[in-house]
Amino acid sequence: MLHLVSRCSARLFWASPRWRRTYTQGASLRLKWLGCPHHRCSPLACREYSSASGSPEVMLTPERYPVQRLPFSTVSEEDVAAFECIIPGRVVTDPEQLEACNVDWLRSVRGSSKVLLRPQTSEEVSQILRHCCKRNLAVNPQGGNTGMVGGSVPVFDEVILSTALMNKVISFHDVSGILVCQAGCVLEELSRYVQERDFIMPLDLGAKGSCHMGGNVATNAGGLRFLRYGSLRGTVLGLEVVLADGTILNCLTSLRKDNTGYDLKQLFIGSEGTLGVITAVSILCPPRPKAVNVAFLGCPGFAEVLQTFSTCKGMLGEILSAFEFMDAECMHLVGQHLHLTNPVQESPFYVLVETSGSSAGHDAEKLTSVLEQVLNSGLVSDGTMATDQKKVQMLWALRERITEALSRDGYVFKYDISLPVERLYDLVVDLRTRLGPRAKHVVGYGHLGDGNLHLNVTAEAFSQELLGALEPYVYAWTAEQRGSVSAEHGLGFKKKNVLHYSKPPEAVRLMQQLKGLLDPKGILNPYKTLPVQA
Amino acid sequence: MLHLVSRCSARLFWASPRWRRTYTQGASLRLKWLGCPHHRCSPLACREYSSASGSPEVMLTPERYPVQRLPFSTVSEEDVAAFECIIPGRVVTDPEQLEACNVDWLRSVRGSSKVLLRPQTSEEVSQILRHCCKRNLAVNPQGGNTGMVGGSVPVFDEVILSTALMNKVISFHDVSGILVCQAGCVLEELSRYVQERDFIMPLDLGAKGSCHMGGNVATNAGGLRFLRYGSLRGTVLGLEVVLADGTILNCLTSLRKDNTGYDLKQLFIGSEGTLGVITAVSILCPPRPKAVNVAFLGCPGFAEVLQTFSTCKGMLGEILSAFEFMDAECMHLVGQHLHLTNPVQESPFYVLVETSGSSAGHDAEKLTSVLEQVLNSGLVSDGTMATDQKKVQMLWALRERITEALSRDGYVFKYDISLPVERLYDLVVDLRTRLGPRAKHVVGYGHLGDGNLHLNVTAEAFSQELLGALEPYVYAWTAEQRGSVSAEHGLGFKKKNVLHYSKPPEAVRLMQQLKGLLDPKGILNPYKTLPVQA
């Protein structure tokens, strides 16, 4: 364990300094993996498991995918000197230190950047971008590098601009719950910060131990609290963004309502660093619920999962805060790779229901009624309920750590799809038949309450043949149902060319025009989000 | 009464056909004004009171405000013929019929358009805009014409493009609650439609009897449910928009999550028809709450109003659905002009608290505890609580009909401001001293839970001197508190030049660039939203 700690801290320090803190808490981390008593476990806090154990080098992205370098300049010694003038002591060129920022955490894409910049202020980001724009240097903005679609690492030799040292809370208003912070704050630390003040963050996701707030906003992360607290498009109140030419755009208001002109911050939410670099975020935090209950249920079929959802929506109403599902194969994998124990009898499907409310008594009464109803009607075959934090976290770990279990199962083909809820699982069944023994596992889980399926296929290694069997099949299937080919992960590098499955040509054209307006030289996170122009 | 009905229906038919339906229900409307038993009263459903009773002609906008006509073409007979080809029988040129669409409902601005177009489909809107773009004809998109800032009527002779006949529900999904409708659907009718299916609209506002869904989205309307269900930026899932050149942009998805590229619909939400014409809306409706309770309370001071709010937030948590306040002068005006009765003893401030939840028993228990606490602690001097719909509506009418009462008091100077909640009422007090007897009334009310003050000043008639005493004073005061000079009403024609009080020059410049990109000829709702360029 300690060996891993020191290795990781050396390799990951530059990519995300918060990592080191996590890893030096090795002992408690070990506990976390077995069901941490203090907080839910983050799969990304453990991601080096798969990469640190002698796994082969990750192929360079241009070797695996057909992509051509665009005619940007190459970083020269003069550029490095200029950067050193702007952020003395925070320009990294050591190849070993650069390695972790060049590879995504899934170990599926790898760039070859020669320089990592670690600014601390928006002014420094502005000066860096002004220099890059003038010199025609491409830039890869990087947060916690927890993205799922290859958007967070360079494709070629882009300058990596890390938000890791922009990690200060700027202000918190303890009546309104409005938090203003720099972009590099780690979600889990913000979560702890506001919880101490009786609020919670409006978003929560498995990657919370590493992901940065700025990165969350840049990808419009959804996650586990979306059902209750909605999209970042509603909860983010303001942003500070540095544009491609170095202009600082200060839209960092802390007002719940502001209808003065176009809502510019929306342009940057979900634009994956291609239109500007988010440097600070103002976000509305909901009050911390006084009572949180979790039920973990086994269902005999997907139809029963759907009916359980309808029952929960109707009977729990405003206190329903999460409705997640996973199939039996997911449970098998978290058991096999993470040694987590299934708390209920084996079932084809499992459901996690969370309530958050202001009265422990009322909430327990509501949830108990629901459980009686679903058990008596046969929608649920077995279930367990938790009110104390330790058990709540153990139940959540079963759902949250699926990503981690999958990454230990081999190479993972990941799809993150929105579908009409009644068709949500059909694609998984269909793919199992289609792929047969070519796939190790085909699993489905996700945010059922939001119509969001995480479809994952594992194999011993990456294979073009399997990829060919999956794509464009999965996308065409989704488009036929008028679904979205990326519900919450974004397009990044890997999905940029499938945009047309979910958006008409007029929309794609307008996106290109917006990119042209905001970043005429195309230096910000190139090769991402927008399809290659014909 | 019947006389008014027939006069109104003649004058208003073309602007908003739903009006006629409202007005031909004259008898029940009369009842509504005295406290309608069937549904909350809409102040805008009664607005002709002020205008139909022989009040003087409204000045033409260019006579009251310094504004120059831009070099657009003038509508020719050939243009009218071309429009007639596109929408046969739905081109209106009769001056009497045009009158109601040229004047805003506050009777504060007046255009001189010679033609009103009433398309039924997006395809027709597309053909109209293609023609206007080619001919360089300016266009004023118009919904229910219920705007507060002069954005919904022409300034000069812009072609009026009404959404009134685009009033079909396209689809409703009775599990997810996702409604897809044309832009001209009236909010109150949609509300009724989804309520019959056990859902509610996520927004509600005084103008609901007339306002169109497309117009609501175009102004990013806030309203009475904002506190609970959040902004339209979160609840609107998709839009269909026709761009200035006639391109139909179909982003009308019905998915809770869709992270495929830039979220283009956000550009049009709150852009007041200056970037495109919204023709259809997809919106997420929350389940209809099983229990709604309203308490109406009198508070001895504004400090007690704030403490009552904190108490409600803490104790009601997730069931708190509205927290509105009004001052004693508001109560005086609704009594004087609308003969509504104050249900509690006279107080300096009044508060309306609404809860919406899934259990009548639990909710009543929570609200009763709150009321005991605020009464016992002296935060509230008197109060009344309602659970049956009739009384709920009567209590709501006191708050909702303030706008109407004000409009009967004389000329109204309206300000809609976001401020830090603890400073919310200071501006009202300050202005009373500043204006002295020059103002008839200076009142403050609004959505306290959202930090949104409606500051209104009435006078016998419009006066440049009073305007000079109010502006820029109110805006500078707001800017000093880092507030917003338009919380929910938008900028429209009247506030466009005060944008810089709430946004930095870099933001204003980017807005201008976006306008240039999407509407290079500037034909869409000119003279609105964006300040005149130096």
Side-chain angles (χ1 to χ4, degrees), chain B residues 359-385:
Chain B
S359 161
H362 290 169
D363 295 2
E365 210 177 292
K366 286 187 179 99
L367 187 54
T368 308
S369 303
V370 168
L371 295 184
E372 274 170 20
Q373 165 124 356
V374 292
L375 279 162
N376 292 341
S377 60
L379 295 179
V380 163
S381 41
D382 188 22
T384 180
M385 186 173 145

mmCIF file of all heavy atoms in Angstrom, chain B residues 359-385:
data_model
loop_
_atom_site.group_PDB
_atom_site.id
_atom_site.type_symbol
_atom_site.label_atom_id
_atom_site.label_comp_id
_atom_site.label_asym_id
_atom_site.label_seq_id
_atom_site.Cartn_x
_atom_site.Cartn_y
_atom_site.Cartn_z
ATOM 1 N N SER B 359 -47.296 15.197 1.054
ATOM 2 C CA SER B 359 -48.082 14.646 2.154
ATOM 3 C C SER B 359 -48.747 15.780 2.916
ATOM 4 O O SER B 359 -48.060 16.588 3.564
ATOM 5 C CB SER B 359 -47.166 13.843 3.087
ATOM 6 O OG SER B 359 -47.798 13.696 4.347
ATOM 7 N N ALA B 360 -50.069 15.858 2.822
ATOM 8 C CA ALA B 360 -50.806 16.949 3.464
ATOM 9 C C ALA B 360 -50.519 16.979 4.961
ATOM 10 O O ALA B 360 -50.284 18.048 5.538
ATOM 11 C CB ALA B 360 -52.302 16.777 3.204
ATOM 12 N N GLY B 361 -50.487 15.807 5.576
ATOM 13 C CA GLY B 361 -50.269 15.735 7.014
ATOM 14 C C GLY B 361 -48.891 16.255 7.406
ATOM 15 O O GLY B 361 -48.761 17.137 8.258
ATOM 16 N N HIS B 362 -47.866 15.721 6.765
ATOM 17 C CA HIS B 362 -46.501 16.153 7.076
ATOM 18 C C HIS B 362 -46.326 17.649 6.835
ATOM 19 O O HIS B 362 -45.692 18.345 7.631
ATOM 20 C CB HIS B 362 -45.500 15.386 6.196
ATOM 21 C CG HIS B 362 -45.377 13.936 6.541
ATOM 22 N ND1 HIS B 362 -44.719 13.043 5.737
ATOM 23 C CD2 HIS B 362 -45.817 13.224 7.604
ATOM 24 C CE1 HIS B 362 -44.758 11.834 6.288
ATOM 25 N NE2 HIS B 362 -45.429 11.920 7.420
ATOM 26 N N ASP B 363 -46.875 18.118 5.716
ATOM 27 C CA ASP B 363 -46.663 19.523 5.354
ATOM 28 C C ASP B 363 -47.341 20.452 6.356
ATOM 29 O O ASP B 363 -46.757 21.461 6.781
ATOM 30 C CB ASP B 363 -47.195 19.809 3.944
ATOM 31 C CG ASP B 363 -46.420 19.037 2.882
ATOM 32 O OD1 ASP B 363 -45.513 18.269 3.258
ATOM 33 O OD2 ASP B 363 -46.724 19.209 1.689
ATOM 34 N N ALA B 364 -48.576 20.108 6.721
ATOM 35 C CA ALA B 364 -49.305 20.950 7.677
ATOM 36 C C ALA B 364 -48.564 20.973 9.014
ATOM 37 O O ALA B 364 -48.452 22.020 9.663
ATOM 38 C CB ALA B 364 -50.724 20.431 7.851
ATOM 39 N N GLU B 365 -48.027 19.832 9.382
ATOM 40 C CA GLU B 365 -47.280 19.753 10.650
ATOM 41 C C GLU B 365 -46.056 20.683 10.615
ATOM 42 O O GLU B 365 -45.807 21.438 11.555
ATOM 43 C CB GLU B 365 -46.819 18.294 10.837
ATOM 44 C CG GLU B 365 -46.696 17.842 12.265
ATOM 45 C CD GLU B 365 -46.309 16.353 12.307
ATOM 46 O OE1 GLU B 365 -47.126 15.489 11.911
ATOM 47 O OE2 GLU B 365 -45.173 16.075 12.726
ATOM 48 N N LYS B 366 -45.344 20.628 9.509
ATOM 49 C CA LYS B 366 -44.153 21.481 9.377
ATOM 50 C C LYS B 366 -44.547 22.957 9.414
ATOM 51 O O LYS B 366 -43.932 23.762 10.108
ATOM 52 C CB LYS B 366 -43.419 21.168 8.066
ATOM 53 C CG LYS B 366 -42.651 19.855 8.047
ATOM 54 C CD LYS B 366 -41.817 19.704 6.768
ATOM 55 C CE LYS B 366 -41.026 18.400 6.740
ATOM 56 N NZ LYS B 366 -41.636 17.328 5.969
ATOM 57 N N LEU B 367 -45.571 23.307 8.642
ATOM 58 C CA LEU B 367 -45.956 24.723 8.556
ATOM 59 C C LEU B 367 -46.487 25.225 9.905
ATOM 60 O O LEU B 367 -46.187 26.359 10.309
ATOM 61 C CB LEU B 367 -46.990 24.924 7.442
ATOM 62 C CG LEU B 367 -47.363 26.375 7.116
ATOM 63 C CD1 LEU B 367 -46.135 27.243 6.814
ATOM 64 C CD2 LEU B 367 -48.333 26.441 5.925
ATOM 65 N N THR B 368 -47.239 24.395 10.588
ATOM 66 C CA THR B 368 -47.769 24.802 11.889
ATOM 67 C C THR B 368 -46.632 25.074 12.877
ATOM 68 O O THR B 368 -46.647 26.068 13.603
ATOM 69 C CB THR B 368 -48.701 23.700 12.447
ATOM 70 O OG1 THR B 368 -49.664 23.394 11.442
ATOM 71 C CG2 THR B 368 -49.437 24.179 13.681
ATOM 72 N N SER B 369 -45.622 24.218 12.857
ATOM 73 C CA SER B 369 -44.461 24.452 13.733
ATOM 74 C C SER B 369 -43.815 25.796 13.431
ATOM 75 O O SER B 369 -43.433 26.542 14.333
ATOM 76 C CB SER B 369 -43.383 23.385 13.534
ATOM 77 O OG SER B 369 -43.895 22.128 13.753
ATOM 78 N N VAL B 370 -43.677 26.080 12.133
ATOM 79 C CA VAL B 370 -43.067 27.357 11.749
ATOM 80 C C VAL B 370 -43.907 28.514 12.273
ATOM 81 O O VAL B 370 -43.390 29.468 12.867
ATOM 82 C CB VAL B 370 -42.942 27.464 10.207
ATOM 83 C CG1 VAL B 370 -42.595 28.886 9.792
ATOM 84 C CG2 VAL B 370 -41.900 26.499 9.695
ATOM 85 N N LEU B 371 -45.215 28.423 12.076
ATOM 86 C CA LEU B 371 -46.082 29.534 12.473
ATOM 87 C C LEU B 371 -46.040 29.748 13.982
ATOM 88 O O LEU B 371 -45.970 30.884 14.452
ATOM 89 C CB LEU B 371 -47.511 29.296 11.979
ATOM 90 C CG LEU B 371 -47.660 29.278 10.446
ATOM 91 C CD1 LEU B 371 -49.107 29.131 10.037
ATOM 92 C CD2 LEU B 371 -47.041 30.517 9.796
ATOM 93 N N GLU B 372 -46.037 28.655 14.706
ATOM 94 C CA GLU B 372 -45.918 28.782 16.166
ATOM 95 C C GLU B 372 -44.630 29.524 16.530
ATOM 96 O O GLU B 372 -44.629 30.462 17.311
ATOM 97 C CB GLU B 372 -45.895 27.389 16.822
ATOM 98 C CG GLU B 372 -47.296 26.848 17.088
ATOM 99 C CD GLU B 372 -47.272 25.383 17.506
ATOM 100 O OE1 GLU B 372 -46.215 24.883 17.947
ATOM 101 O OE2 GLU B 372 -48.324 24.724 17.364
ATOM 102 N N GLN B 373 -43.579 29.091 15.889
ATOM 103 C CA GLN B 373 -42.274 29.687 16.216
ATOM 104 C C GLN B 373 -42.222 31.182 15.886
ATOM 105 O O GLN B 373 -41.772 31.986 16.704
ATOM 106 C CB GLN B 373 -41.194 28.934 15.435
ATOM 107 C CG GLN B 373 -39.854 29.632 15.388
ATOM 108 C CD GLN B 373 -38.739 28.746 15.917
ATOM 109 O OE1 GLN B 373 -38.957 27.635 16.380
ATOM 110 N NE2 GLN B 373 -37.521 29.239 15.851
ATOM 111 N N VAL B 374 -42.691 31.554 14.694
ATOM 112 C CA VAL B 374 -42.566 32.976 14.313
ATOM 113 C C VAL B 374 -43.544 33.852 15.097
ATOM 114 O O VAL B 374 -43.252 35.018 15.379
ATOM 115 C CB VAL B 374 -42.721 33.203 12.785
ATOM 116 C CG1 VAL B 374 -41.545 32.594 12.041
ATOM 117 C CG2 VAL B 374 -44.044 32.677 12.249
ATOM 118 N N LEU B 375 -44.682 33.300 15.463
ATOM 119 C CA LEU B 375 -45.636 34.082 16.273
ATOM 120 C C LEU B 375 -45.115 34.237 17.700
ATOM 121 O O LEU B 375 -45.112 35.332 18.265
ATOM 122 C CB LEU B 375 -47.017 33.414 16.273
ATOM 123 C CG LEU B 375 -47.872 33.710 15.028
ATOM 124 C CD1 LEU B 375 -49.009 32.697 14.888
ATOM 125 C CD2 LEU B 375 -48.446 35.135 15.069
ATOM 126 N N ASN B 376 -44.632 33.142 18.259
ATOM 127 C CA ASN B 376 -44.149 33.191 19.643
ATOM 128 C C ASN B 376 -42.918 34.081 19.808
ATOM 129 O O ASN B 376 -42.721 34.703 20.838
ATOM 130 C CB ASN B 376 -43.821 31.785 20.157
ATOM 131 C CG ASN B 376 -45.085 30.959 20.313
ATOM 132 O OD1 ASN B 376 -46.183 31.513 20.375
ATOM 133 N ND2 ASN B 376 -44.936 29.647 20.366
ATOM 134 N N SER B 377 -42.103 34.111 18.758
ATOM 135 C CA SER B 377 -40.867 34.887 18.882
ATOM 136 C C SER B 377 -41.058 36.344 18.472
ATOM 137 O O SER B 377 -40.105 37.122 18.468
ATOM 138 C CB SER B 377 -39.781 34.251 18.021
ATOM 139 O OG SER B 377 -40.200 34.238 16.671
ATOM 140 N N GLY B 378 -42.278 36.711 18.070
ATOM 141 C CA GLY B 378 -42.538 38.106 17.730
ATOM 142 C C GLY B 378 -42.094 38.508 16.333
ATOM 143 O O GLY B 378 -42.158 39.677 15.959
ATOM 144 N N LEU B 379 -41.618 37.544 15.547
ATOM 145 C CA LEU B 379 -41.240 37.885 14.167
ATOM 146 C C LEU B 379 -42.477 38.238 13.355
ATOM 147 O O LEU B 379 -42.422 38.999 12.394
ATOM 148 C CB LEU B 379 -40.524 36.700 13.493
ATOM 149 C CG LEU B 379 -39.180 36.282 14.080
ATOM 150 C CD1 LEU B 379 -38.616 35.090 13.329
ATOM 151 C CD2 LEU B 379 -38.205 37.464 14.014
ATOM 152 N N VAL B 380 -43.578 37.645 13.730
ATOM 153 C CA VAL B 380 -44.840 37.854 13.022
ATOM 154 C C VAL B 380 -45.876 38.316 14.046
ATOM 155 O O VAL B 380 -45.977 37.756 15.142
ATOM 156 C CB VAL B 380 -45.274 36.528 12.349
ATOM 157 C CG1 VAL B 380 -46.741 36.555 11.970
ATOM 158 C CG2 VAL B 380 -44.394 36.242 11.138
ATOM 159 N N SER B 381 -46.634 39.366 13.672
ATOM 160 C CA SER B 381 -47.616 39.891 14.625
ATOM 161 C C SER B 381 -48.996 39.295 14.419
ATOM 162 O O SER B 381 -49.802 39.206 15.347
ATOM 163 C CB SER B 381 -47.664 41.417 14.520
ATOM 164 O OG SER B 381 -47.603 41.828 13.171
ATOM 165 N N ASP B 382 -49.281 38.866 13.197
ATOM 166 C CA ASP B 382 -50.588 38.254 12.930
ATOM 167 C C ASP B 382 -50.458 37.416 11.664
ATOM 168 O O ASP B 382 -49.619 37.702 10.804
ATOM 169 C CB ASP B 382 -51.646 39.350 12.725
ATOM 170 C CG ASP B 382 -53.066 38.776 12.642
ATOM 171 O OD1 ASP B 382 -53.276 37.649 13.146
ATOM 172 O OD2 ASP B 382 -53.952 39.442 12.068
ATOM 173 N N GLY B 383 -51.280 36.397 11.548
ATOM 174 C CA GLY B 383 -51.173 35.568 10.359
ATOM 175 C C GLY B 383 -52.421 34.761 10.106
ATOM 176 O O GLY B 383 -53.261 34.587 11.000
ATOM 177 N N THR B 384 -52.553 34.278 8.883
ATOM 178 C CA THR B 384 -53.660 33.394 8.535
ATOM 179 C C THR B 384 -53.116 32.312 7.611
ATOM 180 O O THR B 384 -52.154 32.540 6.875
ATOM 181 C CB THR B 384 -54.817 34.161 7.866
ATOM 182 O OG1 THR B 384 -55.862 33.240 7.541
ATOM 183 C CG2 THR B 384 -54.373 34.850 6.580
ATOM 184 N N MET B 385 -53.723 31.144 7.675
ATOM 185 C CA MET B 385 -53.208 30.024 6.890
ATOM 186 C C MET B 385 -54.358 29.427 6.080
ATOM 187 O O MET B 385 -55.498 29.411 6.550
ATOM 188 C CB MET B 385 -52.645 28.983 7.856
ATOM 189 C CG MET B 385 -51.955 27.832 7.184
ATOM 190 S SD MET B 385 -51.160 26.781 8.448
ATOM 191 C CE MET B 385 -51.381 25.181 7.702
#
